[in-house]
Amino acid sequence: MPQKPIVEKKVEVEEPTPKKSKMPIVAFLSCFLLSVCASSGVTYFLLQSQEGIETVTKLSTHEEQLLNIQKTLSQQDMDIKAIKEQNETLKLYLRHSSATALKNILINQEQNIQAYLKVMKSAMSDLSALSPRTTDWNDEYQYQLDLALKGSIKREDLLKLLKTGEPNEKSQ
């Protein structure tokens, strides 16, 4: 018998491959995602807290400034009221002060001085008429009396101007 060639047949035998477990990869990815989410969340929370603290700090600073401004305004209002009350008191005091009475007294004195100077001028004229050779003397003193009378009229005008704001009618 002739021998038959032996043909080897290759039979491929599938070796059983161990099933690779996807579980460690899933676990690793889950752990990684959980870690990233946790650190992102903590960072976000901390940043929010710092922003909140900064906001609260700014807010309290603004509130303090607002309170200071309100205190200043209320103090200024009180000062203004006090000044207005003092103003009214001073106006009342000036209305009832003796300044007006003093002006009246000074005006009256000037009028009396003018009357006296006029009488003296007239008396000196009469005296010079009675005594001979006194006309030069009379003329010299009449000039000085006229100067004194004009000065008195000017003072009266100034006093009336101070009192009423209107000049004296005699000088016009």
PDB file of all heavy atoms in Angstrom, residues 49-64:
ATOM      1  N   SER A  49     -16.681  81.880  47.098  1.00  0.00           N
ATOM      2  CA  SER A  49     -16.555  82.347  48.479  1.00  0.00           C
ATOM      3  C   SER A  49     -15.690  83.591  48.536  1.00  0.00           C
ATOM      4  O   SER A  49     -16.017  84.553  49.236  1.00  0.00           O
ATOM      5  CB  SER A  49     -15.942  81.256  49.359  1.00  0.00           C
ATOM      6  OG  SER A  49     -16.792  80.141  49.415  1.00  0.00           O
ATOM      7  N   GLN A  50     -14.576  83.609  47.797  1.00  0.00           N
ATOM      8  CA  GLN A  50     -13.702  84.779  47.801  1.00  0.00           C
ATOM      9  C   GLN A  50     -14.395  85.972  47.169  1.00  0.00           C
ATOM     10  O   GLN A  50     -14.304  87.087  47.668  1.00  0.00           O
ATOM     11  CB  GLN A  50     -12.397  84.469  47.061  1.00  0.00           C
ATOM     12  CG  GLN A  50     -11.486  83.529  47.819  1.00  0.00           C
ATOM     13  CD  GLN A  50     -10.246  83.163  47.018  1.00  0.00           C
ATOM     14  OE1 GLN A  50     -10.133  83.487  45.842  1.00  0.00           O
ATOM     15  NE2 GLN A  50      -9.325  82.472  47.669  1.00  0.00           N
ATOM     16  N   GLU A  51     -15.116  85.740  46.087  1.00  0.00           N
ATOM     17  CA  GLU A  51     -15.863  86.833  45.464  1.00  0.00           C
ATOM     18  C   GLU A  51     -16.946  87.327  46.408  1.00  0.00           C
ATOM     19  O   GLU A  51     -17.197  88.520  46.510  1.00  0.00           O
ATOM     20  CB  GLU A  51     -16.469  86.383  44.139  1.00  0.00           C
ATOM     21  CG  GLU A  51     -15.466  86.205  43.031  1.00  0.00           C
ATOM     22  CD  GLU A  51     -16.095  85.677  41.751  1.00  0.00           C
ATOM     23  OE1 GLU A  51     -17.333  85.501  41.713  1.00  0.00           O
ATOM     24  OE2 GLU A  51     -15.353  85.438  40.790  1.00  0.00           O
ATOM     25  N   GLY A  52     -17.575  86.419  47.099  1.00  0.00           N
ATOM     26  CA  GLY A  52     -18.604  86.794  48.069  1.00  0.00           C
ATOM     27  C   GLY A  52     -18.008  87.609  49.199  1.00  0.00           C
ATOM     28  O   GLY A  52     -18.584  88.612  49.630  1.00  0.00           O
ATOM     29  N   ILE A  53     -16.835  87.206  49.663  1.00  0.00           N
ATOM     30  CA  ILE A  53     -16.172  87.943  50.748  1.00  0.00           C
ATOM     31  C   ILE A  53     -15.781  89.333  50.267  1.00  0.00           C
ATOM     32  O   ILE A  53     -15.985  90.326  50.968  1.00  0.00           O
ATOM     33  CB  ILE A  53     -14.936  87.155  51.252  1.00  0.00           C
ATOM     34  CG1 ILE A  53     -15.394  85.889  51.985  1.00  0.00           C
ATOM     35  CG2 ILE A  53     -14.077  88.017  52.161  1.00  0.00           C
ATOM     36  CD1 ILE A  53     -14.255  84.945  52.327  1.00  0.00           C
ATOM     37  N   GLU A  54     -15.240  89.405  49.040  1.00  0.00           N
ATOM     38  CA  GLU A  54     -14.875  90.704  48.485  1.00  0.00           C
ATOM     39  C   GLU A  54     -16.105  91.582  48.319  1.00  0.00           C
ATOM     40  O   GLU A  54     -16.085  92.775  48.617  1.00  0.00           O
ATOM     41  CB  GLU A  54     -14.164  90.532  47.143  1.00  0.00           C
ATOM     42  CG  GLU A  54     -12.780  89.929  47.247  1.00  0.00           C
ATOM     43  CD  GLU A  54     -12.160  89.628  45.893  1.00  0.00           C
ATOM     44  OE1 GLU A  54     -12.793  89.938  44.862  1.00  0.00           O
ATOM     45  OE2 GLU A  54     -11.045  89.082  45.873  1.00  0.00           O
ATOM     46  N   THR A  55     -17.184  91.001  47.860  1.00  0.00           N
ATOM     47  CA  THR A  55     -18.431  91.749  47.680  1.00  0.00           C
ATOM     48  C   THR A  55     -18.952  92.246  49.017  1.00  0.00           C
ATOM     49  O   THR A  55     -19.362  93.404  49.146  1.00  0.00           O
ATOM     50  CB  THR A  55     -19.491  90.871  46.987  1.00  0.00           C
ATOM     51  OG1 THR A  55     -18.965  90.394  45.761  1.00  0.00           O
ATOM     52  CG2 THR A  55     -20.762  91.649  46.736  1.00  0.00           C
ATOM     53  N   VAL A  56     -18.923  91.374  50.018  1.00  0.00           N
ATOM     54  CA  VAL A  56     -19.387  91.766  51.354  1.00  0.00           C
ATOM     55  C   VAL A  56     -18.496  92.868  51.912  1.00  0.00           C
ATOM     56  O   VAL A  56     -18.977  93.838  52.505  1.00  0.00           O
ATOM     57  CB  VAL A  56     -19.428  90.529  52.289  1.00  0.00           C
ATOM     58  CG1 VAL A  56     -19.646  90.946  53.722  1.00  0.00           C
ATOM     59  CG2 VAL A  56     -20.523  89.565  51.850  1.00  0.00           C
ATOM     60  N   THR A  57     -17.187  92.744  51.694  1.00  0.00           N
ATOM     61  CA  THR A  57     -16.252  93.764  52.179  1.00  0.00           C
ATOM     62  C   THR A  57     -16.516  95.104  51.501  1.00  0.00           C
ATOM     63  O   THR A  57     -16.580  96.142  52.166  1.00  0.00           O
ATOM     64  CB  THR A  57     -14.797  93.321  51.915  1.00  0.00           C
ATOM     65  OG1 THR A  57     -14.588  92.035  52.479  1.00  0.00           O
ATOM     66  CG2 THR A  57     -13.810  94.302  52.494  1.00  0.00           C
ATOM     67  N   LYS A  58     -16.683  95.067  50.177  1.00  0.00           N
ATOM     68  CA  LYS A  58     -16.977  96.301  49.448  1.00  0.00           C
ATOM     69  C   LYS A  58     -18.302  96.888  49.899  1.00  0.00           C
ATOM     70  O   LYS A  58     -18.439  98.097  50.061  1.00  0.00           O
ATOM     71  CB  LYS A  58     -16.998  96.044  47.943  1.00  0.00           C
ATOM     72  CG  LYS A  58     -15.635  95.811  47.340  1.00  0.00           C
ATOM     73  CD  LYS A  58     -15.736  95.538  45.840  1.00  0.00           C
ATOM     74  CE  LYS A  58     -14.382  95.232  45.230  1.00  0.00           C
ATOM     75  NZ  LYS A  58     -14.499  94.912  43.791  1.00  0.00           N
ATOM     76  N   LEU A  59     -19.283  96.022  50.089  1.00  0.00           N
ATOM     77  CA  LEU A  59     -20.601  96.478  50.514  1.00  0.00           C
ATOM     78  C   LEU A  59     -20.525  97.136  51.887  1.00  0.00           C
ATOM     79  O   LEU A  59     -21.111  98.197  52.105  1.00  0.00           O
ATOM     80  CB  LEU A  59     -21.584  95.296  50.523  1.00  0.00           C
ATOM     81  CG  LEU A  59     -23.037  95.623  50.846  1.00  0.00           C
ATOM     82  CD1 LEU A  59     -23.598  96.590  49.802  1.00  0.00           C
ATOM     83  CD2 LEU A  59     -23.855  94.350  50.878  1.00  0.00           C
ATOM     84  N   SER A  60     -19.790  96.524  52.808  1.00  0.00           N
ATOM     85  CA  SER A  60     -19.686  97.114  54.148  1.00  0.00           C
ATOM     86  C   SER A  60     -18.926  98.436  54.087  1.00  0.00           C
ATOM     87  O   SER A  60     -19.269  99.384  54.802  1.00  0.00           O
ATOM     88  CB  SER A  60     -19.001  96.147  55.110  1.00  0.00           C
ATOM     89  OG  SER A  60     -17.669  95.898  54.715  1.00  0.00           O
ATOM     90  N   THR A  61     -17.924  98.525  53.224  1.00  0.00           N
ATOM     91  CA  THR A  61     -17.192  99.784  53.061  1.00  0.00           C
ATOM     92  C   THR A  61     -18.112 100.870  52.528  1.00  0.00           C
ATOM     93  O   THR A  61     -18.113 102.004  53.026  1.00  0.00           O
ATOM     94  CB  THR A  61     -15.997  99.594  52.102  1.00  0.00           C
ATOM     95  OG1 THR A  61     -15.179  98.535  52.577  1.00  0.00           O
ATOM     96  CG2 THR A  61     -15.174 100.861  51.983  1.00  0.00           C
ATOM     97  N   HIS A  62     -18.912 100.528  51.530  1.00  0.00           N
ATOM     98  CA  HIS A  62     -19.861 101.496  50.966  1.00  0.00           C
ATOM     99  C   HIS A  62     -20.904 101.901  52.004  1.00  0.00           C
ATOM    100  O   HIS A  62     -21.294 103.075  52.072  1.00  0.00           O
ATOM    101  CB  HIS A  62     -20.541 100.939  49.715  1.00  0.00           C
ATOM    102  CG  HIS A  62     -19.627 100.808  48.528  1.00  0.00           C
ATOM    103  ND1 HIS A  62     -19.005 101.879  47.943  1.00  0.00           N
ATOM    104  CD2 HIS A  62     -19.226  99.723  47.826  1.00  0.00           C
ATOM    105  CE1 HIS A  62     -18.269 101.477  46.935  1.00  0.00           C
ATOM    106  NE2 HIS A  62     -18.372 100.157  46.837  1.00  0.00           N
ATOM    107  N   GLU A  63     -21.352 100.962  52.798  1.00  0.00           N
ATOM    108  CA  GLU A  63     -22.334 101.287  53.836  1.00  0.00           C
ATOM    109  C   GLU A  63     -21.729 102.223  54.869  1.00  0.00           C
ATOM    110  O   GLU A  63     -22.396 103.168  55.319  1.00  0.00           O
ATOM    111  CB  GLU A  63     -22.834 100.004  54.501  1.00  0.00           C
ATOM    112  CG  GLU A  63     -23.789  99.203  53.630  1.00  0.00           C
ATOM    113  CD  GLU A  63     -24.210  97.888  54.273  1.00  0.00           C
ATOM    114  OE1 GLU A  63     -23.682  97.543  55.354  1.00  0.00           O
ATOM    115  OE2 GLU A  63     -25.059  97.208  53.689  1.00  0.00           O
ATOM    116  N   GLU A  64     -20.468 102.004  55.236  1.00  0.00           N
ATOM    117  CA  GLU A  64     -19.798 102.892  56.189  1.00  0.00           C
ATOM    118  C   GLU A  64     -19.676 104.298  55.606  1.00  0.00           C
ATOM    119  O   GLU A  64     -19.924 105.287  56.300  1.00  0.00           O
ATOM    120  CB  GLU A  64     -18.417 102.351  56.542  1.00  0.00           C
ATOM    121  CG  GLU A  64     -18.435 101.128  57.420  1.00  0.00           C
ATOM    122  CD  GLU A  64     -17.040 100.560  57.665  1.00  0.00           C
ATOM    123  OE1 GLU A  64     -16.044 101.270  57.385  1.00  0.00           O
ATOM    124  OE2 GLU A  64     -16.956  99.426  58.139  1.00  0.00           O
TER     125      GLU A  64
END
